[in-house]
């Protein structure tokens, strides 16, 4: 056969099979090689709701982390053993007054709790909330003047003095919960003046939400007027949340706490696009009530979704059970 008569060789082309399997996913050893878990126990932060020893907690068992003061050290050790390296301490204020005087007592329950945790687990990162709601007779986050209006200067002073007191006791991070312009700056100035330049300030970018109801009933922090809309952001105005985050950053915030996580995932993603500072998503009490009865695999999926959305850390009432589940899956 001459060269001109040679048959044409047609390359064999594999027809695209839409039912095929991606080889990268097909073999288990390849999946294991490529897998990187988004979530570890060290990504979790546990809220600790410190209670007076004499308070009957039977009716609040549905909210993990509600612990009597005498049990705080043991609970901190339990968290540490599970791999949880950080907690956020909130307290049940027994003696509420208009001026929140107990918040500034050097032997109050918050100070006792911080010291108990620090002594039990020296390396535990301790964050605290510096807010008036646990200490004011009105249940407000702020102090009120004689006309019932917000005492801005008095509230700044309360938050700043609380922050220094907490830092002296051993707190690593303090967080104003009320969305109040100027509070981060006031706290930062007072901490620096007191020599605590290495204590972080992480304010809350917080939407007004019904998801806080379980917490408020457990801690008796419902404001007398029935809501905190003056000190939380309208969930229908996400632009306000972004603007507030920018103001916090300019005031000297070291990180941002976004809550409630479930209804602020869009905000979390937008914040991650505009800043590299640490972002913590707070899966609040109402979320825990919704998820606690779900399979642990579902709870883990939700936590991983928050990480994908941009959270560096997840503050969750389920920290202990999630950490244990992660450890169990690692061992298997």
């Amino acid at each position: 056969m001459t060269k001109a008569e040679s048959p044409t060789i047609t390359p064999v082309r594999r027809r695209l099979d839409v039912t095929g399997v991606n080889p990268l996913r097909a073999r288990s050893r390849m999946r294991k090689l490529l897998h990187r878990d988004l979530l570890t126990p060290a990504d979790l932060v546990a809220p600790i709701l410190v209670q007076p020893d004499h308070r009957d907690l039977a009716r609040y068992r549905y909210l993990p982390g509600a612990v009597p003061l005498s049990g705080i050290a043991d609970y901190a050790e339990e968290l540490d053993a599970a791999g949880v390296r950080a907690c956020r301490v909130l307290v049940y204020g027994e003696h509420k007054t208009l001026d929140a005087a107990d918040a500034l007592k050097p032997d109050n329950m918050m100070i006792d709790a911080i010291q108990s945790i620090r002594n039990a687990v020296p390396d535990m990162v301790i964050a605290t909330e510096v807010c008036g709601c646990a200490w004011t007779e009105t249940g407000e986050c702020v102090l009120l003047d004689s006309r019932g209006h917000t005492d801005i200067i008095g509230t700044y002073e309360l938050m700043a003095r609380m922050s220094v007191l907490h830092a002296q006791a051993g707190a690593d991070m303090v967080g104003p919960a009320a969305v109040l312009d100027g509070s981060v700056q006031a706290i930062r100035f007072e901490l620096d003046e007191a020599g605590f330049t290495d204590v972080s300030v992480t304010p809350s970018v917080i939407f007004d939400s019904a998801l806080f109801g379980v917490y408020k009933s457990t801690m008796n922090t419902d404001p007398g007027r029935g809501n905190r809309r003056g000190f939380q952001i309208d969930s229908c105005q996400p632009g306000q949340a972004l603007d507030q985050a920018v103001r916090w950053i300019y005031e000297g915030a070291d990180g941002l706490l976004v809550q409630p996580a479930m209804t602020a995932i869009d905000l979390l993603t937008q914040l991650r696009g505009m800043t590299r500072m640490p972002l913590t998503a707070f899966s609040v009490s109402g979320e825990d009530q919704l998820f606690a009865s779900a399979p642990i695999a579902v709870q883990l999926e939700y936590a991983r979704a928050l990480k994908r959305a941009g959270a560096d850390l997840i503050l969750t009432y389920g920290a202990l059970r999630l950490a244990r589940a992660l450890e169990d899956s690692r061992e298997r």
Side-chain angles (χ1 to χ4, degrees), residues 132-151:
C133 61
W135 310 96
T136 54
E137 185 178 299
T138 59
E140 296 287 357
C141 298
V142 299
L143 299 181
L144 303 179
D145 61 22
S146 58
R147 299 173 299 165
H149 298 160
T150 301
D151 178 357

Side-chain angles (χ1 to χ4, degrees), residues 90 95 129 258:
L90 307 101
H95 307 294
E129 186 168 279
V258 179

Side-chain angles (χ1 to χ4, degrees), residues 240-286:
Q240 292 180 4
L242 290 172
D243 290 344
Q244 187 62 55
V246 171
R247 289 197 291 271
W248 285 149
I249 293 169
Y250 278 113
E251 285 190 32
D254 300 292
L256 297 170
L257 179 65
V258 179
Q259 57 176 313
M262 178 185 290
T263 55
I265 291 181
D266 57 331
L267 172 61
L268 191 61
T269 301
Q270 291 177 75
L271 286 173
R272 178 47 72 220
M274 61 180 273
T275 179
R276 301 314 302 168
M277 72 163 39
L279 299 178
T280 302
F282 189 177
S283 182
V284 301
S285 59

